[in-house]
Amino acid sequence: MLSEAEGRSALIREARRWIGTPYHPGADLRGAGVDCGMLIVRVFVDAGLVPPFDPRPYPQDWHLHRDDERYLGFVFDRAAEVARPEPGDVIVFRYGRAYAHGGIVTAAEPLTLVHAFSPAQAVIEEPLARNSVLAEPGRNPRFFSLWAARAAAGAYPA
């Protein structure tokens, strides 16, 4: 198992490899197409941090009609919520009635993320403050850490 520092570095390197990949709902092929949920899955799986899994199928607009957190439930199931993110953690945003957009934190200050963003039609890396849509107060960002979950389970020293 990689150390926490090695894992976080590997995750960020893998996330940045996806920059420029076109946005495509439900896809997960680097260079061809990906959405925000599958980007998170592919980056964590391809960096060797979690075993392969596939949360699909999910309707593209489920968050407009339902309150359940099914789209990003795989994040909540594998990570622990943290108050302050570190590089390599996941950030999720409220969209519609549920948390339905997410990305990977690449810097804590300023808070920067890699995400597959529909309005940009691609995977991009940007400071959160520069994204007027995600910086809206109603988005209520939350942060989740694979490493905090592993520490709680005794895999890493606290």
Side-chain angles (χ1 to χ4, degrees), residues 80-86 89-91 108 111 141-145 148:
E81 190 163 8
V82 294
R84 304 178 120 202
E86 293 184 42
D89 289 342
V90 172
I91 183 172
L111 184 55
R142 293 168 66 186
F143 308 102
F144 292 84
S145 174

Side-chain angles (χ1 to χ4, degrees), residues 14-158:
E14 184 60 33
R16 286 179 170 151
R17 290 181 60 202
W18 286 79
I19 292 172
T21 296
Y23 178 87
H24 190 281
D28 71 339
L29 186 59
R30 189 167 38 91
V34 71
D35 65 17
C36 66
M38 291 309 299
L39 174 66
I40 294 169
V41 171
R42 292 281 14 118
V43 168
F44 274 84
V45 169
D46 293 352
L49 296 170
V50 298
F53 70 100
D54 193 338
R56 297 171 292 190
Y58 46 80
Q60 182 179 355
D61 64 351
W62 70 270
H63 60 284
L64 300 176
H65 311 291
R66 303 184 57 103
D67 293 334
D68 60 323
E69 300 293 354
R70 65 188 256 188
Y71 180 65
L72 290 179
F74 59 88
V75 173
F76 305 134
D77 291 345
R78 291 168 173 79
E81 190 163 8
V82 294
R84 304 178 120 202
E86 293 184 42
D89 289 342
V90 172
I91 183 172
V92 294
F93 301 89
R94 182 171 289 284
Y95 252 79
R97 297 173 61 176
Y99 282 86
H101 181 68
I104 296 167
V105 174
T106 56
E109 191 60 42
L111 184 55
T112 304
L113 68 149
V114 169
H115 61 130
F117 195 48
S118 176
Q121 288 298 296
V123 175
I124 59 174
E125 182 173 18
E126 65 180 343
L128 176 59
R130 288 194 192 156
N131 187 309
S132 62
V133 174
L134 297 181
E136 292 174 356
R139 298 292 178 208
N140 300 328
R142 293 168 66 186
F143 308 102
F144 292 84
S145 174
L146 174 69
W147 294 277
R150 288 181 175 175
Y156 290 114

